[in-house]
Amino acid sequence: MIQKGGVLINLFVRGFFRGAALFSIFVLFSVWSLFIGPADNVRVFLYYGFIAFFLGCGSVIYHVPNWSPLKRIITYYMATLVTVFPVLLVLTYDAARFTTDAAEAFITFNMLQLLAPSITYSVSAILKIYGGKYV
């Protein structure tokens, strides 16, 4: 039986590698974009890479044993609010409209936080009903 510390280290390592794998894909896109397009695309792909890294790392929150689903959702939301939302602000930064952009980004962030788990849950439920052997 794995002790509590071992589970947490296992989750941390799994999250880091998930995030690193996603980040590496966007780094490849940014390098590819550097050779074929303007430099702005490189920056955007790197920002998306950081977002993917944080989301990959945070996804293991849903695998923490003995946590209620509500605690997992709230913890994931807070973790993404601290990590992903600032990257979104930097990505959409425009000094002339910063206050409206920040409010707009916060609304978009919260809409995505509601939409993504809903879609994921729906797909999971459909797979359990129609393809139970794959879930």
Side-chain angles (χ1 to χ4, degrees), residues 6-122:
V7 171
L8 293 178
I9 294 296
N10 185 16
L11 288 175
F12 174 77
V13 170
R14 183 186 306 174
F16 179 78
F17 281 115
R18 281 183 186 181
L22 292 170
F23 181 73
S24 65
I25 291 169
F26 282 97
V27 167
L28 290 174
F29 283 151
S30 70
V31 170
W32 177 62
S33 178
L34 181 64
F35 290 115
I36 66 165
D40 287 342
N41 290 342
V42 173
R43 182 179 59 88
V44 169
F45 279 125
L46 287 177
Y47 285 137
Y48 287 155
F50 283 119
I51 291 171
F53 176 76
F54 293 135
L55 293 176
C57 288
S59 68
V60 296
I61 289 173
Y62 290 105
H63 297 285
V64 175
N66 302 323
W67 277 16
S68 69
L70 183 62
K71 185 175 181 179
R72 291 175 184 172
I73 290 170
I74 291 171
T75 304
Y76 183 74
Y77 175 79
M78 296 306 289
T80 55
L81 184 63
V82 171
T83 57
V84 173
F85 185 65
V87 176
L88 288 174
L89 287 179
V90 169
L91 186 63
T92 62
Y93 180 74
D94 181 8
R97 302 180 314 140
F98 182 70
T99 55
T100 57
D101 286 347
E104 216 173 273
F106 187 69
I107 291 168
T108 303
F109 173 78
N110 285 313
M111 288 173 46
L112 289 173
Q113 287 291 340
L114 292 173
L115 187 64
S118 301
I119 292 171
T120 304
Y121 178 77
S122 300

